[in-house]
Amino acid sequence: MIRDLTESDRNQTIELVNQFFRKVNELELDGLFRIRPRAATKFTDIYFKLIGTGKVYMKGYFQDEELVSLVIGRIEEKPHLEEERSLFIDLAVTKLGKKKKGYMSKLLKDVDQWCLEKNIPSIELRAILKNEEAIQFWNQSSFEPFYIRYRKRLPGI
């Protein structure tokens, strides 16, 4: 069942966000891009504070009372573009051992419906190229590559 995440789901949300952050930190990246300890708690708490604004999407897929998948995103205002605003998905993750069961696909259909209700014409996200599992999922989804983000590490810093 898909439902809004609430404060009572805080610990499970932090656990799932932390699972994703640990995966990112296991990837061989540029040595600079590392997620700090306790970032999952800070990230989650910031979004819980924003829930009442109507500018965040924060829902999970639950099996009984277990949170197995979640999507967290925020509305981005773009007054310089004709689209004016989009939903930016900051995090989409499914619990280890629960993948490939359709939970994320169902959540993404709910994201689409939420955006349609709010008259948001586009949804964006970014994925780390070294996260091959994520790249494969997004390539097989209805999302399409749109732009490339480049990164450069400066020597000596």
Side-chain angles (χ1 to χ4, degrees), residues 51-62:
I51 283 178
T53 66
K55 295 189 175 207
V56 298
Y57 178 95
M58 192 170 180
K59 291 188 182 184
Y61 193 100
F62 289 81

Side-chain angles (χ1 to χ4, degrees), residues 12-27 29 33 35 40 43 70 72 89-96 99 104 125-128 131 133-135 138:
Q12 287 192 85
T13 302
I14 291 169
E15 179 184 323
L16 202 45
V17 171
N18 204 27
Q19 172 194 299
F20 178 78
F21 286 177
R22 279 193 308 272
K23 171 155 179 116
V24 169
N25 280 346
E26 289 171 1
L27 298 173
L29 302 173
F33 190 92
I35 299 170
F43 177 90
L70 64 77
I72 299 174
I89 295 176
D90 282 309
L91 193 92
V93 62
T94 299
K95 199 173 212 177
L96 293 172
K99 297 182 179 194
M104 184 57 65
L125 60 91
R126 65 180 183 223
I128 297 170
N131 188 349
E133 183 181 28
I135 298 296
W138 294 115

Side-chain angles (χ1 to χ4, degrees), residues 58-73:
M58 192 170 180
K59 291 188 182 184
Y61 193 100
F62 289 81
Q63 268 187 325
D64 299 317
E65 293 300 312
E66 180 186 13
L67 176 62
V68 294
S69 193
L70 64 77
V71 173
I72 299 174

